[in-house]
Amino acid sequence: MASFGGGPAASFVRPPQHQYASSSGVAQTSLSSKSPTINLTTLAKASDVLNGLFEKDAQMVPELRDTLAGSSSSAYNIPPHRSWAPFFRPDGLEGFKSMPTGVFDEYDEVRPHCCMGIFPEIQRAWITLNNRLLLWDYTDGSDIRTFEDQPDVILHVGLVKAKHDVFIDEIRYLLVLSTSKSLILIGVAAIPITVPSSAVEPPRLDVKLYDTGFTYPAKEMQAIVGTKSGRIFMCGVEDGYLYELIYRSSEGWFSNKLSLICHSTAGGIAGLLPVTLSSWRLVPTTDDRIVSLVVDDDRHYLYTLTQRPHISMFSFGPGGDALTIKTTLKNIHGDANRIAPSESFSIVGLHVIRKHVRPNDSNDQPQLMAVTSTGARLYFSKHRYMIGMDPDALQLVHVRLAPQNLRHPPADPGSSFRGAGYIPAATPANTAPFVVNRIEGSCHAAGITLERQCPGDDPEKSDYIVCVSPDLATLSSLGPVHAPSYAQYSAFPGSAGGPRTVLTEYATVMSISGNAWDMCEVPSVPTSIKPPESPAPLVTNELVTQFSEPQRKFLVITNMGLNLIVKRRAIDFLSASLIEADMGNQSALQDFFTSFGRDQTCAMLFALASGNTFLSSDAGQPPSVAANHAKGMLFSQSGKPVFKEAVGYGGGDGNIAFSGRHAGFALYFARVIRPIWRAHITVGEVPKALKSNVAEQTLIVVQQNLESLRNFLSTNPHLFDSSQGEFAGSSRATAEQEAWKAENASASSLKALVSQTIEAISFVLLLQDYGLPQVATLAGDAIFKRLIGLQYRALITTKDGRDVARALVTAVINQQIAQQTSVDTISDVLQSRCGSFCSMDDVKYFKAQESLRKATETSNPEERARCLQESLKLFADGARIMELQSLTDIVEDYRRCSYASGAVFLPLRCAQEFDATNEGREYWLMGCPAGDADPRKLLYERRWACYQICVDSLSTFDDRLADAIKKGEPGLEQDAARTRAYQLAFESQDYAFHCFFYDWLIDRGMTEELLEYRPMFLEDHLQREPRTLDKLNFLWQYYVKTDQSLRAAKVLADIAESTEFNLLLDKRIEYLTLAVNNAKSHPSSEFGRQEAAVEFLTDLEEKLEVAQVQREVYHNLTTKLGTPKGEDARLRHLESTLLNITQLYGDYADPYELYVSKLLIFKVSDHRDHRLTRATWEAVVSECRIGATSEEQMSNLSATVSALASRFFPSEAAFPLDDIALLLEKLALENRHDVSHGWAPRTLASGGVPHPTIFDAFHNMYESQIPPFNVQDAVQFLSSDIAVLISDWLDAAIRPQSSIARGEFPANMLDEAVNQYLRELESHRAETRQLYENLRVKIRRNF
């Protein structure tokens, strides 16, 4: 492999930027090794386990509202063991940092004009010495910045958020200095200057001060607070009014850049309020000045506390730019004493209770807490207690009394520097209980309260800190409600009982060095820009956060320096208890199991055994001691999986209660990844502004903890396994064995998820290394939109997440290829850092892309052919991961290269890979059932899209050859490419593709080519559903081409009788005609099947005859009716559907009196009904005689009968000659004056009825004397017509070239007949007699 010294490729192959950025579970550099198989179903099951645990964690600790049972409470627990001290001060400089050199001395000199506090947001403590402001960097204890650019004594200092649009971007905060004469604004920039070594500590900040030029003349102000939007509030020391300091970037017409508004007088809010609000007493009296302000940014409120004390609540409004008073709570003393009678008190601290939103939460959560001088805590809530009360009224809802019977801390504060925290002496110096009173200050954050108690009148004595924190074991109901070793005090007698959990807290007292000025919590490091989606646990639930966040720390600044107080967590209790157990004291460990339960304890044991990075080292013992004990307890004390049923066992995990090992593993895993699991991967509105949502250091630490967990599991493979020898042959033993198998399977899925999460983090870190904005831009808008909505859990466990990851990998590859980095080099890096996100298929895909690129760039034909072949092989090997759009682009490149193999074979290969299980093919074979719910539909669509790409290639090669021929070029290359492309298509073994291909050829009119090639699946495809007219037309032609005329006839007959093609009658007759012709062409069979063929032909001919009748019926009907609207449907039915003869007669011919059609039906069906036929003929005659003159009627009738005779004779069913002859002769007799002699027989003869047949009919009529020819006059008329008949017959016989042979003429019979007629002829019929005599002469002369 080529090495890169300093070119563009060096940026990609640099060493990993992160210590834990590689994946140890996948191949590192060998491209021949197989990438791990990713089973998303298994990962999804493991994800479901974690999601269930997240839900349980969110509900584990009840809301504060739900624990404040009754109106008062005083349930406290005092730690019963040395190892359970909830707070401690670290050893040495970590626990206490003295004032910088010189500051302490100067403090003594200017004490009346000195104050101090802590600004944790910028990691600085502040001290004022007369007119100077000192900012002390307490992170290293040495750096001090001084501001002294003004002459007046600084009395009060506040740090507030700066508005975004006023100062330069670096200024994020403002220092507000209050002197006796003015207010001064100083810009503050806090810039990170170091990257922390872990997520435990925040980065150090470099603080810079900027002169804003904003100074406003004002009297002394105190309680300076700000909102997150940049508004500044304060109260006057002398008047106790509420003020707001407003600053702008520029002056307006009616506003200055800096102004001070008093909201307590007529110029401020008081002047805008109606008289009815005067009861709020916004203008304070002497003893009702505002002394404290608190801002609640979450709820958009401002609270004020007065000396009396009264608490008022103001609203900033939805936009945050208003200030409206909502309520004032006045009788706080009286309300508190009614709830819990006590001595007089004052409020020394007002604290906002952080808002925590859960689904369906009401607005009655306590939102404000006041700490009194007696150590009690007053909880206020905006809650409606009675009808008619203002819904915004603030009410005192609970009094939390101070803890009692606390132990005194050691007299020497230094003794509490020990890492083990406060350990009661064996013989306490002061056995009297510590009484909580004289509280002068407080700090509250996320359930923890610190109260500063003055030791007495002696200022030289150090203060005490009363520390109170939730007892999570009791609140979460993890163990018995009353732990056996706890010293628990009952609730205040007035509290409500019931099953609800009562607020129970730990309480302890610590001594500090000096007199405290200020207390605060060290801010936690934000893990992400956009917080993870719910469910989120309560901020007080350290059981959930202890594996992913450091211990909570509190700073207390005194006149001697900075004190650090650290909150211990349950895992710290367990670690210390394990060490005590190692020393022989088992009681603490036993109580821990009892209090926190098996599952929670096992989760903490996993953290200790695997070496979680957030473990505290305050116990003074090597971490391996606790880790070894933790590992041993996981094997010995975590139980085993069992079936829940008492008898028998089931086959699913729902019947199994997993062991503590499994529960602990799942819990620990879930809590380690909680900061990232439901967090979005990126934030940013456009690709160029895209950045990681989760902090890089958080990702690294989570990965470290997962890596250590995976290592622990791999080095202890039997943790979730049991020797088969432990089970006997009983059914119970079999059930236990199945339970172990189920637990092992579940643990295996969780292990797989651990490995995949490690690689996912490596993948995200890799994207950061190579520029998220650039990669997202290359990936395209569609991927960018999917990426910004993608969470880590979806990236790891869903196909969509993997698809996005693959697209991003492709973008990274393309980015580096553009910098001339080889695919092998890129692949090595990807495989080593996140192998499952760049599988071997991915590697082959990228190498194929490189080969294809070389093929398009080279001018050497041999090199080009080699690169094309290599690319096709690699693309085919990695076809299963290819996207449709990528396939389209690749095939287009192959077309440009005239590479038919790639343009046709690759999409066919992808079709097989995309639908490897043939579920899409099955969906197609079933006729593509309607609805989008069928999961096979997507596979079918992807498969068909590949087929379309393939035939598009064929179309391209067709067009190129046609263009070459049109231009007069030889087109040899185009013809070769086209021929090869069609050859590959026809040689495919994919039946579904052949069907698609044939349809495409038929649609393009390329049936001749298809018939010429005769591919293997053609006949089967043309026969399968869905049937189309084109396919059936092509099928019968195929049969004709292959000399299968009988099969062709059957297909043609099927088309003719089909109902789905909407064929008209003429077309159906055409198909039937072709069917008959092909059936007649069928050769005789040697296997006895000729009879069936003849029967089929006969049936076809009958159907054709009936169809022809139907056509005549249709034409006759349309001629008779035209196109009346009422008959449209029946006519359409007649024209488009083949009917049988009965339907034609009963539905059309008879109802519509189509007499000729009826006669035709009689003939075709050979229906012989004498009466019906005669009636029909009478109707025909009647129709001919309607209107006109008698002569015209007879002429019309003659023409009609002649025409019908030519059609229907000699059918007795349709043309009964005797009846028709009698009918005609009667008419002739009746109209003797309008017709000549011989009209009737001549009419029949003109219709093609032979003379002998006519003669027989008339002679029979003469002989039978059927009325009216039973009277002499009628008989004589009939005789005259017979004479004419014989004359015409004789003339036809003796005519030259006559069709009547001489031997066929019955001369003797006619001679005798003429003699008879002459004998019976009346004498007055001279003309007829003469004719007879002439006939006799002619007969005798010629015969």
Side-chain angles (χ1 to χ4, degrees):
M1 184 181 300
S3 62
F4 298 87
S11 65
F12 193 95
V13 298
R14 63 184 184 272
Q17 299 293 310
H18 308 99
Q19 181 181 358
Y20 286 86
S22 65
S23 173
S24 61
V26 297
Q28 299 296 312
T29 57
S30 174
L31 295 181
S32 62
S33 61
K34 186 177 181 180
S35 298
T37 301
I38 307 303
N39 190 329
L40 292 181
T41 302
T42 299
L43 296 180
K45 288 181 179 178
S47 176
D48 291 340
V49 174
L50 299 185
N51 292 333
L53 294 176
F54 290 138
E55 295 287 347
K56 291 181 179 179
D57 279 349
Q59 303 294 331
M60 178 190 299
V61 177
E63 294 276 8
L64 176 62
R65 168 199 58 197
D66 299 327
T67 63
L68 298 178
S71 55
S72 69
S73 63
S74 60
Y76 292 91
N77 288 332
I78 296 178
H81 299 285
R82 296 162 56 91
S83 55
W84 289 36
F87 295 90
F88 74 96
R89 292 177 60 191
D91 295 337
L93 291 177
E94 184 183 358
F96 177 78
K97 293 180 181 177
S98 298
M99 286 280 188
T101 305
V103 175
F104 185 78
D105 297 334
E106 193 168 353
Y107 166 78
D108 286 337
E109 296 177 3
V110 298
R111 184 176 299 183
H113 305 291
C114 175
C115 55
M116 61 185 70
I118 309 172
F119 295 143
E121 300 91 339
I122 60 174
Q123 298 177 355
R124 296 297 186 269
W126 61 271
I127 307 166
T128 62
L129 301 174
N130 289 327
N131 67 324
R132 289 189 298 153
L133 173 65
L134 306 181
L135 293 180
W136 172 31
D137 182 359
Y138 54 75
T139 58
D140 65 0
S142 60
D143 181 57
I144 294 181
R145 296 291 177 90
T146 304
F147 174 79
E148 51 186 351
D149 296 341
Q150 59 86 34
D152 301 318
V153 174
I154 300 174
L155 302 175
H156 300 277
V157 182
L159 182 72
V160 298
K161 286 282 188 70
K163 293 181 179 178
H164 296 297
D165 56 350
V166 177
F167 307 106
I168 61 176
D169 293 340
E170 286 80 2
I171 297 180
R172 304 288 299 278
Y173 300 95
L174 292 177
L175 280 172
V176 183
L177 309 184
S178 172
T179 71
S180 60
K181 298 180 180 179
S182 62
L183 291 170
I184 303 170
L185 297 185
I186 302 172
V188 179
I191 304 171
I193 58 174
T194 62
V195 177
S197 58
S198 69
V200 176
E201 299 295 338
R204 287 189 56 198
L205 301 177
D206 179 24
V207 173
K208 296 182 180 180
L209 304 182
Y210 292 86
D211 183 5
T212 64
F214 284 169
T215 302
Y216 193 85
K219 295 183 179 180
E220 180 182 356
M221 298 288 175
Q222 64 179 351
I224 302 169
V225 296
T227 68
K228 62 181 180 182
S229 62
R231 297 180 71 179
I232 305 173
F233 295 93
M234 59 196 72
C235 58
V237 173
E238 294 183 4
D239 54 23
Y241 289 166
L242 174 63
Y243 292 91
E244 181 177 4
L245 183 63
I246 299 176
Y247 59 96
R248 304 176 180 86
S249 58
S250 60
E251 294 183 355
W253 285 100
F254 304 103
S255 61
N256 297 322
K257 293 178 66 175
L258 189 65
S259 58
L260 186 66
I261 296 180
C262 178
H263 289 294
S264 299
T265 62
I269 286 182
L272 302 176
L273 293 175
V275 177
T276 55
L277 293 181
S278 61
S279 60
W280 295 113
R281 295 184 58 83
L282 288 176
V283 180
T285 60
T286 304
D287 60 346
D288 196 20
R289 296 184 178 90
I290 297 174
V291 294
S292 180
L293 304 177
V294 177
V295 171
D296 185 351
D297 276 319
D298 290 338
R299 301 178 180 89
H300 307 292
Y301 289 141
L302 171 70
Y303 301 97
T304 65
L305 174 67
T306 66
Q307 289 178 339
R308 283 198 174 189
H310 292 172
I311 297 176
S312 296
M313 181 174 72
F314 295 82
S315 173
F316 297 136
D321 54 358
L323 190 67
T324 305
I325 190 166
K326 289 295 184 181
T327 184
T328 295
L329 188 60
K330 298 180 178 180
N331 192 22
I332 296 176
H333 273 131
D335 292 341
N337 282 320
R338 278 195 298 271
I339 294 174
S342 64
E343 61 187 55
S344 178
F345 63 84
S346 61
I347 295 178
V348 299
L350 201 61
H351 306 283
V352 171
I353 298 176
R354 180 177 171 182
K355 185 178 181 180
H356 180 80
V357 179
R358 281 178 174 168
N360 303 320
D361 260 0
S362 60
N363 291 325
D364 60 347
Q365 291 283 2
Q367 61 192 56
L368 189 67
M369 183 189 76
V371 178
T372 70
S373 57
T374 60
R377 284 169 283 163
L378 312 181
Y379 289 92
F380 300 92
S381 174
K382 189 177 69 173
H383 187 59
R384 181 178 296 185
Y385 279 93
M386 60 185 68
I387 298 176
M389 182 178 288
D390 188 340
D392 290 327
L394 196 65
Q395 296 293 318
L396 174 62
V397 296
H398 192 85
V399 176
R400 180 73 172 167
L401 299 179
Q404 304 173 23
N405 297 331
L406 296 178
R407 298 189 182 100
H408 276 273
D412 180 11
S415 64
S416 64
F417 287 3
R418 293 282 302 158
Y422 164 55
I423 303 175
T427 305
N430 188 350
T431 58
F434 183 91
V435 179
V436 180
N437 58 17
R438 297 192 302 275
I439 299 298
E440 295 184 352
S442 62
C443 166
H444 175 81
I448 295 178
T449 304
L450 303 186
E451 300 174 357
R452 176 175 64 87
Q453 179 165 324
C454 175
D457 297 331
D458 186 358
E460 299 300 327
K461 290 184 178 180
S462 296
D463 291 342
Y464 296 107
I465 305 297
V466 179
C467 304
V468 179
S469 64
D471 179 0
L472 295 179
T474 303
L475 290 174
S476 305
S477 301
L478 300 176
V481 176
H482 301 283
S485 60
Y486 279 28
Q488 176 150 357
Y489 302 97
S490 60
F492 192 81
S495 63
R500 64 189 295 178
T501 303
V502 178
L503 177 60
T504 306
E505 296 172 304
Y506 282 124
T508 187
V509 182
M510 302 187 70
S511 60
I512 57 172
S513 300
N515 303 123
W517 281 83
D518 194 9
M519 297 182 293
C520 70
E521 183 178 15
V522 176
S524 59
V525 179
T527 60
S528 59
I529 299 171
K530 186 177 181 180
E533 291 186 354
S534 59
L538 287 177
V539 293
T540 57
N541 190 357
E542 290 180 343
L543 290 174
V544 174
T545 61
Q546 60 185 341
F547 308 135
S548 58
E549 295 179 9
Q551 293 171 311
R552 296 176 63 182
K553 299 177 181 179
F554 294 83
L555 300 175
V556 182
I557 188 170
T558 70
N559 57 344
M560 297 181 66
L562 195 69
N563 297 263
L564 178 65
I565 298 177
V566 180
K567 170 68 175 65
R568 271 202 180 92
R569 307 154 301 178
I571 193 171
D572 303 317
F573 298 167
L574 177 58
S575 178
S577 298
L578 287 170
I579 294 174
E580 284 194 21
D582 184 59
M583 298 177 180
N585 181 9
Q586 298 288 334
S587 61
L589 188 57
Q590 292 172 357
D591 285 348
F592 190 91
F593 260 89
T594 303
S595 298
F596 288 93
R598 183 196 68 175
D599 293 350
Q600 298 294 330
T601 303
C602 285
M604 290 180 254
L605 290 174
F606 265 99
L608 291 167
S610 61
N612 185 275
T613 55
F614 293 97
L615 295 178
S616 172
S617 59
D618 58 48
Q621 295 288 338
S624 60
V625 175
N628 291 334
H629 277 274
K631 175 181 174 182
M633 293 191 69
L634 283 174
F635 279 97
S636 63
Q637 301 296 323
S638 57
K640 62 181 180 180
V642 295
F643 275 88
K644 297 178 182 178
E645 287 84 354
V647 179
Y649 63 95
D653 290 354
N655 295 328
I656 300 171
F658 289 142
S659 68
R661 282 186 298 277
H662 182 280
F665 172 31
L667 268 175
Y668 177 63
F669 179 25
R671 290 170 180 176
V672 166
I673 65 170
R674 189 186 63 83
I676 70 168
W677 189 246
R678 297 198 178 195
H680 285 83
I681 298 173
T682 59
V683 290
E685 298 295 330
V686 295
K688 291 183 179 180
L690 198 66
K691 58 184 176 180
S692 175
N693 176 43
V694 180
E696 182 176 302
Q697 198 60 33
T698 300
L699 291 174
I700 294 173
V701 171
V702 170
Q703 189 181 53
Q704 286 176 341
N705 287 324
L706 292 178
E707 187 69 55
S708 62
L709 173 61
R710 182 168 67 176
N711 291 338
F712 171 73
L713 293 171
S714 63
T715 55
N716 295 276
H718 300 298
L719 195 61
F720 292 101
D721 191 15
S722 178
S723 172
Q724 299 299 320
E726 295 181 11
F727 304 108
S730 65
S731 60
R732 181 177 181 85
T734 304
E736 292 179 2
Q737 184 177 1
E738 291 298 320
W740 275 102
K741 288 181 179 179
E743 176 168 289
N744 189 28
S746 179
S748 296
S749 66
L750 289 172
K751 291 176 185 178
L753 188 56
V754 169
S755 296
Q756 287 303 304
T757 307
I758 292 172
E759 291 201 17
I761 295 173
S762 291
F763 176 66
V764 174
L765 293 174
L766 180 142
L767 294 178
Q768 293 185 52
D769 284 347
Y770 299 112
L772 264 174
Q774 294 83 359
V775 173
T777 301
L778 286 173
D781 289 340
I783 294 298
F784 168 72
K785 292 177 181 178
R786 293 166 68 183
L787 175 60
I788 58 177
L790 193 66
Q791 298 177 357
Y792 277 88
R793 61 172 175 171
L795 171 68
I796 299 168
T797 64
T798 67
K799 184 179 182 300
D800 182 65
R802 296 290 173 155
D803 290 343
V804 172
R806 185 173 295 113
L808 295 174
V809 169
T810 302
V812 171
I813 295 291
N814 293 333
Q815 178 194 57
Q816 297 305 307
I817 288 177
Q819 299 178 13
Q820 305 303 314
T821 305
S822 72
V823 170
D824 286 337
T825 304
I826 303 168
S827 303
D828 290 346
V829 175
L830 290 170
Q831 286 279 295
S832 65
R833 295 182 64 172
C834 46
S836 63
F837 285 82
C838 182
S839 65
M840 290 311 304
D841 287 336
D842 293 319
V843 173
K844 291 178 180 179
Y845 176 81
F846 297 132
K847 294 191 71 170
Q849 278 190 318
E850 187 175 35
S851 296
L852 181 56
R853 177 177 57 83
K854 291 179 180 179
T856 58
E857 294 174 353
T858 184
S859 58
N860 187 326
E862 295 181 357
E863 177 69 13
R864 181 185 185 191
R866 185 188 65 79
C867 290
L868 287 172
Q869 291 175 3
E870 181 180 350
S871 68
L872 177 57
K873 181 180 182 303
L874 292 171
F875 277 136
D877 290 343
R880 69 183 182 87
I881 67 167
M882 194 174 296
E883 296 292 336
L884 276 174
Q885 185 57 51
S886 299
L887 175 62
T888 303
D889 297 339
I890 292 167
V891 171
E892 183 59 35
D893 287 338
Y894 281 143
R895 293 171 191 163
R896 281 194 289 267
C897 296
S898 296
Y899 188 47
S901 297
V904 174
F905 175 76
L906 183 59
L908 292 179
R909 177 61 177 270
C910 288
Q912 295 286 345
E913 293 293 339
F914 291 172
D915 186 23
T917 59
N918 283 325
E919 293 180 52
R921 181 177 181 271
E922 180 184 353
Y923 176 79
W924 166 70
L925 288 172
M926 293 177 62
C928 301
D932 296 329
D934 196 325
R936 300 173 300 175
K937 182 178 180 182
L938 179 60
L939 297 174
Y940 157 76
E941 290 174 346
R942 283 170 60 82
R943 186 168 189 152
W944 250 241
C946 294
Y947 294 160
Q948 185 62 50
I949 294 173
C950 179
V951 297
D952 287 345
S953 296
L954 298 176
S955 178
T956 299
F957 293 131
D958 285 339
D959 295 342
R960 287 181 182 173
L961 179 59
D963 290 343
I965 295 173
K966 185 177 180 180
K967 295 176 181 179
E969 299 174 355
L972 298 179
E973 180 183 353
Q974 294 87 342
D975 184 57
R978 178 183 182 276
T979 302
R980 176 60 177 162
Y982 275 93
Q983 179 186 0
L984 289 170
F986 280 118
E987 289 177 353
S988 170
Q989 298 299 310
D990 185 350
Y991 170 69
F993 166 70
H994 274 269
C995 294
F996 183 93
F997 181 35
Y998 301 156
D999 286 340
W1000 179 78
L1001 289 172
I1002 294 171
D1003 290 342
R1004 288 170 63 88
M1006 300 176 67
T1007 55
E1008 289 300 324
E1009 291 85 345
L1010 199 52
L1011 288 174
E1012 186 67 28
Y1013 201 91
R1014 298 185 188 179
M1016 62 184 114
F1017 298 116
L1018 180 58
E1019 181 179 357
D1020 188 45
H1021 165 65
L1022 295 176
Q1023 290 176 339
R1024 73 174 303 277
E1025 297 291 342
R1027 304 195 318 167
T1028 65
L1029 186 59
D1030 287 340
K1031 286 168 61 176
L1032 293 178
N1033 274 328
F1034 191 58
L1035 180 60
W1036 75 260
Q1037 294 176 47
Y1038 170 79
Y1039 284 141
V1040 171
K1041 190 78 172 179
T1042 56
D1043 296 328
Q1044 301 180 73
S1045 56
L1046 188 59
R1047 289 188 175 184
K1050 290 181 178 179
V1051 173
L1052 286 163
D1054 192 23
I1055 297 174
E1057 297 180 66
S1058 65
T1059 58
E1060 64 264 41
F1061 301 133
N1062 198 26
L1063 296 174
L1064 296 181
L1065 184 59
D1066 288 340
K1067 198 67 178 176
R1068 295 181 187 276
I1069 293 174
E1070 180 183 341
Y1071 280 115
L1072 283 173
T1073 303
L1074 288 170
V1076 169
N1077 293 336
N1078 277 278
K1080 290 179 178 179
S1081 301
H1082 178 62
S1084 59
S1085 172
E1086 299 178 0
F1087 304 104
R1089 298 181 181 177
Q1090 183 65 21
E1091 294 79 4
V1094 171
E1095 184 180 351
F1096 174 68
L1097 174 60
T1098 304
D1099 183 62
L1100 277 180
E1101 289 175 332
E1102 291 177 354
K1103 289 179 179 178
L1104 176 60
E1105 193 174 16
V1106 173
Q1108 292 169 337
V1109 171
Q1110 181 175 336
R1111 177 167 57 184
E1112 181 166 331
V1113 170
Y1114 174 75
H1115 288 306
N1116 291 342
L1117 186 58
T1118 54
T1119 300
K1120 182 175 184 178
L1121 299 179
T1123 53
K1125 292 183 178 180
E1127 304 294 336
D1128 284 353
R1130 301 195 71 181
L1131 284 173
R1132 284 196 301 270
H1133 183 64
L1134 182 62
E1135 187 185 19
S1136 60
T1137 306
L1138 289 181
L1139 305 176
N1140 59 42
I1141 203 72
T1142 303
Q1143 291 172 314
L1144 289 174
Y1145 182 85
D1147 295 342
Y1148 293 96
D1150 189 42
Y1152 290 103
E1153 298 179 346
L1154 304 177
Y1155 301 116
V1156 176
S1157 298
K1158 291 171 68 174
L1159 293 175
L1160 180 59
I1161 291 171
F1162 295 157
K1163 176 187 177 182
V1164 171
S1165 63
D1166 196 27
H1167 180 74
R1168 299 173 185 268
D1169 185 336
H1170 182 74
R1171 295 178 58 188
L1172 181 61
T1173 306
R1174 184 173 59 188
T1176 302
W1177 273 104
E1178 290 174 353
V1180 171
V1181 171
S1182 298
E1183 277 190 343
C1184 294
R1185 302 190 64 186
I1186 296 175
T1189 64
S1190 177
E1191 291 182 4
E1192 292 174 346
Q1193 292 175 11
M1194 297 304 290
S1195 176
N1196 292 339
L1197 179 60
S1198 177
T1200 299
V1201 173
S1202 176
L1204 294 177
S1206 63
R1207 292 186 61 192
F1208 301 140
F1209 181 82
S1211 170
E1212 281 296 321
F1215 201 87
L1217 183 60
D1218 291 342
D1219 291 339
I1220 295 172
L1222 178 60
L1223 180 63
L1224 291 176
E1225 193 62 21
K1226 285 181 180 180
L1227 289 172
L1229 178 63
E1230 293 173 359
N1231 298 275
R1232 68 186 67 179
H1233 303 295
D1234 297 321
V1235 296
S1236 60
H1237 285 300
W1239 176 85
R1242 282 179 172 172
T1243 296
L1244 294 173
S1246 65
V1249 181
H1251 288 96
T1253 305
I1254 299 174
F1255 176 78
D1256 290 342
F1258 275 79
H1259 183 72
N1260 292 335
M1261 191 189 314
Y1262 182 87
E1263 290 289 342
S1264 62
Q1265 296 187 356
I1266 299 174
F1269 299 105
N1270 56 351
V1271 296
Q1272 192 60 34
D1273 186 54
V1275 171
Q1276 296 301 313
F1277 180 81
L1278 175 59
S1279 179
S1280 298
D1281 281 354
I1282 292 174
V1284 173
L1285 170 63
I1286 296 173
S1287 176
D1288 292 343
W1289 187 5
L1290 181 59
D1291 290 342
I1294 64 177
R1295 186 181 304 117
Q1297 300 179 350
S1298 173
S1299 60
I1300 302 174
R1302 293 181 63 85
E1304 295 177 358
F1305 186 79
N1308 294 331
M1309 183 272 292
L1310 289 178
D1311 184 67
E1312 293 178 2
V1314 168
N1315 290 332
Q1316 178 185 352
Y1317 296 145
L1318 282 172
R1319 288 194 302 270
E1320 298 173 1
L1321 186 66
E1322 292 181 349
S1323 59
H1324 64 272
R1325 290 192 172 272
E1327 183 177 353
T1328 301
R1329 180 175 297 275
Q1330 183 63 44
L1331 180 58
Y1332 275 132
E1333 290 176 350
N1334 291 338
L1335 288 174
R1336 185 168 56 185
V1337 172
K1338 280 186 179 182
I1339 292 171
R1340 292 175 180 177
R1341 181 188 304 150
N1342 290 284
F1343 297 96

